[in-house]
Amino acid sequence: MAPLIISISGVRGIVGETLGAAEAVVWGQAYGTFLRYLNGDKRPTVCIGRDSRPSGSMLAAGLAAGLMATGCEVVQLGIVTTPGAALMTRFLKADGGVVLTASHNPIEWNGIKFLRHDGIAYPAEQARQIHRHYHDKQFRLEKATNTGKSREESRTHAVHIDTVLQYCDVNLVSSRRFKAVLDSINGAGCFVTANLLSRLGCNVVHINDQPTGLFAHTPEPTAENLADLGAVVKKHKADIGFAQDPDADRLALIDETGRYIGEEYTLALAAKYVFRKKTGKAAANLSTSRMIDDIAASAGGEVIRTPVGEAHVANAMLEHHCIIGGEGNGGVIDPRVVPVRDSLVGISMVLQLMAETNKTVSELVAEIPRYCMIKTKFACPQEKTAAVLDSVMHHYRQAGKDMRIDTRDGIRIDGPRGWVQLRASNTEPIMRIMAEAGEETVAQQLIADIKNIAGV
Ligand code: MG
């Protein structure tokens, strides 16, 4: 049986095995206790959103019960995207938020993600405090007359769309009457994204458009999972295809020929749009393609690199007043909308880029310097990851002077011909390797070297 995975990015488990109603109540009490200590005398308000998984309703009820037991007021947002939940937490001036989602994991899984008042995930120290309350079970429970109440809030989609459109040239995009195919994988993005595209004047072909949580294909928006979408784009002669993950924070793009162009291009094209208008700083994690560095540099800007984890990127963006940021996994962040990855922001930026330049997706992609990026992974129990990282570090420290080693997140080695990164997943017992170079053979060799050293 897979254990309940508790990490600084949240909690993930298999429903009916390690994550059920009882765990949800305990996590609700733990988070409520944390917020009560954080907020002094003020009674905290907490927004709860969930993706479309059938287990979400059960977990939301348990979580709300736990929070109310500690005196928190609960706002149930229902089925909303992760950025939508973060945005409403800020919009309603709540003290915290919870999103119930296992993102791109299969339907058996669900998860709990805790958000600060501004919608960003908690830093490691505060996440650990919540975990300590969960393990200690010393909850700050209220007496009968002082437990919290729960109410429903149905404005999330409308507020989300209005906020995105505030920073979008709606007339320009609408005038182009783009034809777009949208695959929402029956996830939380279904209604809100279709509405956004209509407001942008698009002719929308929507597949997997009901938020049933019954995922029509493996949910991670990668090439092998999106073959159907490419075919639909081709059949309808659409300008672009959009694929979301179940909680709609990530976005992958299909060009007008039906070709999957890779999640790295989502942030690259969004950055291309932003840097056409102004210069400044961007933020991206250490696993994100060098394309964003080239795009920023061509506008006289620069890129701040952070460890993986969107909270690191979001905090760097706020600290350095970045004009764009995100992750190479299709996560685009515009902090003016909400300081978390938001597929709706990505859609709006890419459509504006197409409208302003009058170019197709494939033409825009061709303008960006091309790299070959290879991502792979291998099974590795969490207790062994430190030893594997150590052996890799030891090897490259001895290897040579033209290697730059960054150990802020796993280990990243930058050489003259490319870079490779090895890091442990926060949510699964695996290690991920990624390499990027101008030529594919070089990227392959970088991966093979790491596997050799790690003995896999
Ligand atoms: Mg996601």
Side-chain angles (χ1 to χ4, degrees):
M1 190 163 87
L4 185 67
I5 298 170
I6 302 172
S7 75
I8 54 161
S9 38
V11 178
R12 280 202 192 168
I14 292 185
V15 177
E17 291 184 11
T18 48
L19 184 58
E23 288 77 21
V25 172
V26 178
W27 279 109
Q29 292 177 123
Y31 186 42
T33 301
F34 166 82
L35 287 173
R36 292 306 304 258
Y37 285 121
L38 197 68
N39 280 265
D41 293 335
K42 185 176 172 260
R43 184 187 280 271
T45 300
V46 182
C47 290
I48 301 179
R50 57 186 165 93
D51 74 16
S52 59
R53 283 162 216 268
S55 58
S57 181
M58 174 269 290
L59 292 176
L63 215 101
L67 283 163
M68 288 188 280
T70 61
C72 292
E73 302 291 353
V74 171
V75 182
Q76 291 275 17
L77 304 175
I79 296 176
V80 295
T81 64
T82 291
L87 187 136
M88 284 308 269
T89 299
R90 190 171 70 174
F91 179 79
L92 296 171
K93 297 188 172 52
D95 301 284
V98 182
V99 190
L100 298 166
T101 178
S103 189
H104 59 273
N105 285 152
I107 193 166
E108 293 78 21
W109 292 80
N110 213 328
I112 308 171
K113 211 169 157 178
F114 301 103
L115 307 176
R116 289 193 317 206
H117 63 94
D118 58 1
I120 302 177
Y122 288 94
E125 183 42 44
Q126 286 185 305
R128 285 191 204 102
Q129 283 173 24
I130 301 169
H131 302 169
R132 269 199 291 279
H133 290 304
Y134 173 81
H135 292 298
D136 295 348
K137 304 205 166 28
Q138 303 293 316
F139 303 126
R140 202 171 136 170
L141 300 177
E142 289 296 338
K143 296 273 193 279
T145 53
N146 211 30
T147 52
K149 292 186 287 298
S150 171
R151 69 176 174 90
E152 289 181 9
E153 166 63 62
S154 59
R155 289 176 294 170
T156 306
H157 294 339
V159 175
H160 194 177
I161 291 170
D162 286 347
T163 313
V164 171
L165 293 184
Q166 218 178 306
Y167 304 105
C168 179
D169 189 340
V170 179
N171 290 337
L172 175 70
V173 177
S174 301
S175 71
R176 296 292 311 278
R177 299 269 166 232
F178 288 122
K179 187 172 213 182
V181 182
L182 172 65
D183 179 353
S184 300
I185 191 160
N186 296 328
C190 287
F191 298 151
V192 67
T193 319
N195 284 342
L196 176 84
L197 288 169
S198 320
R199 293 271 295 272
L200 286 169
C202 294
N203 176 356
V204 186
V205 178
H206 201 175
I207 60 172
N208 306 317
D209 61 343
Q210 292 302 312
T212 57
L214 305 173
F215 305 137
H217 52 77
T218 309
E220 186 150 31
T222 52
E224 59 273 26
N225 300 332
L226 296 176
D228 289 352
L229 176 58
V232 179
V233 168
K234 229 172 153 171
K235 183 179 148 201
H236 288 272
K237 297 190 171 54
D239 298 293
I240 189 165
F242 296 113
Q244 299 173 298
D245 74 336
D247 63 319
D249 55 353
R250 286 167 60 183
L251 177 72
L253 305 175
I254 307 288
D255 76 9
E256 75 285 358
T257 70
R259 184 176 61 111
Y260 174 86
I261 62 168
E263 284 182 292
E264 291 288 339
Y265 277 99
T266 310
L267 178 59
L269 289 172
K272 196 174 160 73
Y273 162 71
V274 170
F275 278 107
R276 284 183 87 234
K277 300 180 168 311
K278 53 188 167 188
T279 187
K281 288 178 182 160
N285 68 31
L286 285 160
S287 304
T288 300
S289 167
R290 282 180 176 176
M291 289 188 287
I292 191 168
D293 299 81
D294 297 337
I295 292 162
S298 68
E302 61 167 312
V303 180
I304 311 284
R305 291 282 177 170
T306 76
V308 171
E310 69 171 330
H312 292 298
V313 180
N315 286 317
M317 291 182 75
L318 299 181
E319 188 187 332
H320 297 279
H321 307 288
C322 293
I323 53 176
I324 176 84
E327 298 182 331
N329 60 7
V332 179
I333 302 176
D334 180 347
R336 298 172 305 176
V337 175
V338 62
V340 305
R341 296 173 302 193
D342 187 347
S343 61
L344 278 69
V345 164
I347 287 171
S348 140
M349 287 184 175
V350 172
L351 289 176
Q352 284 180 92
L353 179 66
M354 290 162 65
E356 284 181 7
T357 57
N358 235 331
K359 287 179 179 161
T360 62
V361 177
S362 63
E363 286 168 346
L364 290 163
V365 163
E367 290 175 355
I368 299 174
R370 180 169 292 275
Y371 294 100
C372 171
M373 184 184 269
I374 303 177
K375 302 181 186 187
T376 181
K377 58 191 173 186
F378 58 90
C380 185
Q382 278 172 339
E383 62 273 15
K384 290 200 177 150
T385 56
V388 172
L389 288 168
D390 256 10
S391 60
V392 171
M393 175 142 63
H394 187 71
H395 176 92
Y396 282 100
R397 282 235 165 103
Q398 298 195 320
K401 48 197 178 317
D402 54 353
M403 299 287 183
R404 209 168 61 242
I405 300 174
D406 189 321
T407 55
R408 283 182 296 163
D409 189 7
I411 181 165
R412 171 166 158 155
I413 299 115
D414 274 82
R417 301 178 67 197
W419 60 269
V420 61
Q421 186 190 26
L422 174 69
R423 57 182 296 273
S425 163
N426 283 332
T427 50
E428 296 166 78
I430 57 169
M431 292 198 86
R432 298 183 193 281
I433 316 177
M434 38 198 331
E436 185 177 49
E439 300 138 59
E440 189 180 345
T441 48
V442 176
Q444 270 164 350
Q445 190 56 49
L446 289 166
I447 299 248
D449 291 346
I450 292 280
K451 281 189 165 172
N452 243 335
I453 303 162
V456 290

